[in-house]
Amino acid sequence: GLFILDEEHESSYKQEDTPRYHTRAVACARARLTGATVLLGSATPSIETYYEAAQARRLLRLPERVHGRPMPKVEIIDMREELGARHAGPFSRRLQHALRQAVERGEQAILLLNRRGFARTAQCKTCGEVERCARCSVPLVYHAGSRRLTCHYCNFQLEPEELCRRCKKGYLTFRGAGTERIESELHRLFPAAAIARMDRDTMAHRDSYRRLHDAVKSRAVNVLVGTQMVAKGHDFPQVTLVGVVSADTSLNLPDFRAGERTFDLLTQVAGRAGRGDQPGRVVVQTFCPAHYAIQAAQEH
């Protein structure tokens, strides 16, 4: 009689292999056959679901948080100004200050960067050649933990050499930050803090997720950094600060839903802050502060 589909906007409901289908469409079709009701739940419903529900006057709203807790304040940091002030590093001065305050007060913080690895590219300083996958022709990502250059599409791996393979003269330089580099930078800035990382690399083992979740819940971890895994479904009452290292990562993907998915990700991760008695704060770093998706996420 009833189908409940939570987080209905999730792209993982779409089956990429044959037979291709969308779970939401299958649930609706099955409900029509049996006369059942479909309940789709999400803090960030997909545009088509929102439109259809509004047209059919079946849009139900939950406008308030549990116990009437306020939504966290969202601050947008224009990273162009940080570059103008010659501020180096992945963290703006305001985010760095907010992290220091949270750690000193014994509160918890979550940092989001939807990129795995230590560096996005390995490039020769002399000839400019970028190390690429032999099969996919995409730039290889450097993972400091395994000391490997890895393709995130086919898992092709290469051991980095000191000199460029092409010109045999230039040294390799690593550019662009991933979650590994953010974790390394946090250890440098806050050596006394307990820092953990949640991405596909650290969650490879069967019990990894449960162990890390329990550690954060018991406050054994001060700062949790990760990819979109940290953005959804978690209820950590002691998290008062959420930082988005780069909101532009998903904004500039070659995808017509890039704006929608950026809004989803920012709104979902912002919802991790201030779920306890203390108010939450969200700091979003971006080079596109006027983009409609980022502006909408700021207003929840």
Side-chain angles (χ1 to χ4, degrees):
L2 177 66
F3 287 93
I4 301 175
L5 199 67
D6 196 21
E7 306 291 0
E8 66 83 27
H9 66 278
E10 261 291 317
S11 59
S12 55
Y13 280 125
K14 188 173 182 180
Q15 178 69 22
E16 299 291 344
D17 305 324
T18 306
R20 291 178 171 83
Y21 63 91
H22 200 297
T23 309
R24 184 177 61 216
V26 173
C28 291
R30 178 77 186 272
R32 280 195 297 273
L33 292 173
T34 58
T37 298
V38 179
L39 182 64
L40 305 176
S42 174
T44 53
S46 61
I47 290 176
E48 61 268 37
T49 298
Y50 184 90
Y51 176 79
E52 288 172 6
Q55 291 293 100
R57 296 183 181 179
R58 293 287 187 272
L59 184 62
L60 309 175
R61 297 177 186 270
L62 294 172
E64 293 179 4
R65 273 182 153 188
V66 176
H67 304 309
R69 292 189 178 110
M71 293 299 290
K73 181 186 176 185
V74 181
E75 304 169 40
I76 306 296
I77 309 294
D78 188 344
M79 294 301 284
R80 294 171 300 182
E81 295 178 3
E82 294 290 321
L83 281 181
R86 298 190 181 280
H87 178 73
F91 304 131
S92 62
R93 286 161 296 184
R94 219 186 312 173
L95 179 54
Q96 205 167 305
H97 180 66
L99 280 167
R100 183 168 285 108
Q101 284 183 319
V103 169
E104 287 174 355
R105 288 197 297 252
E107 299 164 359
Q108 290 177 308
I110 288 178
L111 285 180
L112 167 72
L113 178 59
N114 207 20
R115 285 177 170 174
R116 288 188 294 136
F118 187 88
R120 299 301 298 171
T121 57
Q123 188 174 30
C124 174
K125 287 183 176 181
T126 303
C127 70
E129 180 74 6
V130 172
E131 291 276 24
R132 294 180 178 272
C133 175
R135 295 192 283 247
C136 307
S137 298
V138 297
L140 295 171
V141 177
Y142 178 61
H143 289 254
S146 60
R147 296 176 183 251
R148 291 276 184 177
L149 292 163
T150 304
C151 174
H152 284 181
Y153 289 90
C154 70
N155 205 36
F156 170 80
Q157 293 189 350
L158 207 61
E159 197 169 322
E161 294 184 4
E162 194 173 2
L163 291 177
C164 173
R165 296 171 203 274
R166 183 183 179 186
C167 70
K168 305 294 183 183
K169 296 176 183 176
Y171 291 93
L172 289 180
T173 179
F174 297 108
R175 303 181 185 277
T179 48
E180 275 191 38
R181 187 188 163 193
I182 298 302
E183 182 188 21
S184 173
E185 191 73 10
L186 285 169
H187 281 297
R188 186 183 68 81
L189 292 170
F190 311 107
I195 296 155
R197 176 162 54 95
M198 180 185 279
D199 55 26
R200 198 187 301 174
D201 299 323
T202 59
M203 297 292 106
H205 298 292
R206 184 176 178 179
D207 293 329
S208 302
Y209 185 91
R210 180 183 55 79
R211 284 200 301 268
L212 182 53
H213 184 276
D214 292 346
V216 178
K217 202 82 173 176
S218 64
R219 302 178 68 177
V221 170
N222 301 118
V223 184
L224 177 64
V225 55
T227 56
Q228 59 183 345
M229 286 185 180
V230 302
K232 307 159 193 171
H234 304 295
D235 182 36
F236 300 134
Q238 299 302 320
V239 172
T240 58
L241 174 67
V242 165
V244 180
V245 178
S246 174
D248 310 328
T249 305
S250 56
L251 199 58
N252 296 314
L253 291 175
D255 180 359
F256 73 95
R257 289 188 187 267
E260 180 183 351
R261 287 180 173 164
T262 298
F263 168 78
D264 290 351
L265 191 58
L266 295 180
T267 303
Q268 292 281 345
V269 76
R272 302 312 109 204
R275 297 173 76 90
D277 297 329
Q278 296 164 300
R281 180 185 180 189
V282 183
V283 178
V284 179
Q285 299 184 163
T286 175
F287 284 94
C288 308
H291 194 281
Y292 61 87
I294 292 171
Q295 290 289 320
Q298 185 178 21
E299 300 298 323
H300 300 289

